[in-house]
Amino acid sequence: MTLDSIRIGLGWDRHRMVPGRPFIIGGIEIPHDHGPQGHSDGDILLHAAMDAVLGASGDDDIGTLFPDDDPEYEGVSSSELTQKVMRRVTARGFRVLSMDAVLIVERPRIAPFRSEIRDSLAALFNVGRDRVNVKAKTAEGIGPEGEGLVVEASVATLLQST
Ligand code: MG
């Protein structure tokens, strides 16, 4: 393997929290009375992760591929979109080597679900569980994140051309 075959990708997403929406993160639903608003299911982690792998593979971003004014993507599962993205990434000759994520979520508590979220990401991005990690932070009550008005995800990834 040469370093020339490695590409780095970075993705970020932030959604407003609203009452009565399911809280889906990394393809896992966490019981909570608020959830991220969105045209799709509002899964910030998968949105950031998709943009990270698309960016690394030199492709368009999710906003271009799945426009939020297109009725086809209304209420769509981000896990489904991730499968489409991974077909594109594979077709361009890349595989995911590793992925690391930071979530800023004041509520609900993510820690009890971290392991399940890692498994879900590993399956969706076709990468070993030991090569995927997720860290959940709070914003200590400061700013819109800290007040629980928004939730945020950042994802870095390495891809290798196969
Ligand atoms: Mg989004």
Side-chain angles (χ1 to χ4, degrees):
M1 183 178 83
T2 65
L3 276 181
D4 193 48
S5 64
I6 305 294
R7 300 281 186 279
I8 194 167
L10 178 63
W12 177 86
D13 198 25
R14 175 194 236 191
H15 282 233
R16 184 185 294 277
M17 289 286 276
V18 291
R21 285 268 300 182
F23 191 93
I24 299 170
I25 192 148
I28 302 298
E29 183 165 353
I30 295 181
H32 193 52
D33 56 358
H34 284 56
Q37 192 173 41
H39 186 66
S40 68
D41 60 6
D43 189 327
I44 53 166
L45 177 52
L46 289 187
H47 292 182
M50 283 189 274
D51 266 347
V53 295
L54 286 166
S57 67
D59 206 341
D60 280 328
D61 65 7
I62 54 169
T64 309
L65 295 175
F66 314 118
D68 65 5
D69 55 0
D70 185 337
E72 189 186 337
Y73 300 116
E74 191 174 345
V76 73
S77 145
S78 296
S79 300
E80 235 173 82
L81 297 182
T82 301
Q83 284 162 4
K84 285 183 201 267
V85 161
M86 284 307 291
R87 280 197 290 274
R88 293 177 72 96
V89 168
T90 305
R92 292 170 84 94
F94 288 96
R95 71 185 179 102
V96 177
L97 280 184
S98 73
M99 183 173 278
D100 197 15
V102 178
L103 304 173
I104 304 179
V105 176
E106 201 73 16
R107 286 177 297 275
R109 269 177 57 74
I110 300 294
F113 301 93
R114 266 186 72 216
S115 180
E116 210 181 323
I117 293 170
R118 279 179 80 174
D119 285 339
S120 174
L121 287 180
L124 284 166
F125 289 92
N126 195 25
V127 57
R129 189 188 194 279
D130 58 337
R131 289 165 172 260
V132 178
N133 219 329
V134 177
K135 294 163 299 287
K137 322 280 290 181
T138 69
E140 302 195 349
I142 300 163
E145 299 88 354
E147 288 170 30
L149 301 177
V150 297
V151 288
E152 208 170 287
S154 301
V155 174
T157 190
L158 283 181
L159 265 54
Q160 181 188 10
S161 54
T162 52

